[in-house]
Every structure is written in C-alpha cells, then in structure tokens.
Amino acid sequence: MIPSAVTVDTTATEAVEGDLAYVRVDYVLAESEIFKTEGLALQEKTQKAQNSWAQKEKNLQYAATQLQEKYQKGLITTADAQKQQADIEKKIANYQTNVQKEAQTLDEENLVFSNRSQDLIMRSIQAVNADKKYKMVVNANSLLDADTTLNITPMVLEKVNELYAKEKNETK
C-alpha cells in the first residue's frame, strides 16, 4: 500500500506554551528571504558553472576526436598530430585546474551560505524562546506526529526574515 501525501500545516497559529515545541527547519529555510535572494542566486551560479564545465569538457573531447580522425585519414603529419595533441593536453590540464578552483570557490560560498542560514535559524529559535517557555525545541524533520499547536515554525520564519533584513541594512 502506498502512503498518501502528507500535507504540512504552516498556518501562523500561536504555539501553546509548554515543555516542547517544534520547527520545520527545511520549510523555514526554503521560505526565508535569505534563501529567496542569496540561496537561489547561489544555486543558479552553481548550475551555470556546471553547465559551463560540461560544455568545455565536450569541446575538448570534440577537439581530441577531430584530431584523431584527421590523423587516421592521413590529413596531418605525425609531428603535427603530436603538437596538436600536446596543445589539447595543455588545454585539458588548464581546464581541470580552473574547474578545481571554481568548484572550491563555489563549495566555500555554499558552506558560508549554509552556515549563515543555520546561524539565522538558531538565533531566531533562541529569540522566539527567549523567555524559556519551551524546555525543548526540536527539528520537525524526524517528527512523525505532533499537535500543530506545538509548531513554532511561522514565528521562527518571521524572526529569520527580520534578522536577515537587519543584517542587510547593517551591511549597506
């Protein structure tokens, strides 16, 4: 039997004070302003880089194939084929070096974005629970069932956006 789709109640209800509350961290991240501005831009940048790498690799493979065909057909001398092969190998080495540098930069940017997002979420949870009305706040990713009145996700999302806006204004 295939389970039916689960719907997520993200209505902004006030969570009931008590020992426990939960946050749908993945939802907060996906709906936050930091993700909608910086996260999506970073995803797009990463995708463009990957597409560019694939195209460059394809072009290098094509050049190597064309060289091989010319040589096999006797259209170029062995010396010319070796020279052109050496040029292609240099291009491949440069390509690999550049890809490694770009990938490392993108990995670092993704790590910084992830750390900033997690920091905003943690500070928001701490701010929402500043009065210590909850003894425990859990990530709802593993949550199987819970009363929706324990959901503080809307408050955390609101606080994340508030803190992000404040950070953006401070850096202007």
Side-chain angles (χ1 to χ4, degrees), residues 46-58:
T46 301
Q47 187 62 48
K48 282 182 181 178
Q50 289 172 342
N51 292 344
S52 172
W53 299 336
Q55 185 60 49
K56 287 177 185 174
E57 190 171 316
K58 185 177 177 181

Side-chain angles (χ1 to χ4, degrees), residues 47-110:
Q47 187 62 48
K48 282 182 181 178
Q50 289 172 342
N51 292 344
S52 172
W53 299 336
Q55 185 60 49
K56 287 177 185 174
E57 190 171 316
K58 185 177 177 181
N59 291 344
L60 289 168
Q61 288 173 346
Y62 179 76
T65 302
Q66 289 299 107
L67 174 61
Q68 182 68 26
E69 287 178 11
K70 284 181 185 178
Y71 181 70
Q72 287 175 344
K73 291 178 181 178
L75 301 175
I76 58 174
T77 66
T78 301
D80 285 342
Q82 289 172 341
K83 182 182 177 296
Q84 289 180 25
Q85 180 65 31
D87 288 343
I88 290 172
E89 288 172 4
K90 283 182 189 177
K91 288 178 183 178
I92 290 170
N94 287 338
Y95 158 77
Q96 289 172 338
T97 300
N98 289 337
V99 165
Q100 286 176 341
K101 287 177 185 176
E102 288 179 39
Q104 188 174 15
T105 300
L106 283 170
D107 285 347
E108 187 175 354
E109 288 179 31
N110 276 296

Side-chain angles (χ1 to χ4, degrees), residues 123 160-171:
R123 287 189 293 138
V160 165
N161 289 338
E162 179 185 315
L163 291 174
Y164 177 64
K166 183 178 176 185
E167 282 182 8
K168 279 179 63 173
N169 289 334
E170 290 174 357
T171 59

Side-chain angles (χ1 to χ4, degrees), residues 147-164:
D147 188 323
T148 58
T149 60
L150 302 175
N151 184 4
I152 61 171
T153 301
M155 292 182 285
V156 172
L157 176 59
E158 183 179 323
K159 193 64 168 175
V160 165
N161 289 338
E162 179 185 315
L163 291 174
Y164 177 64

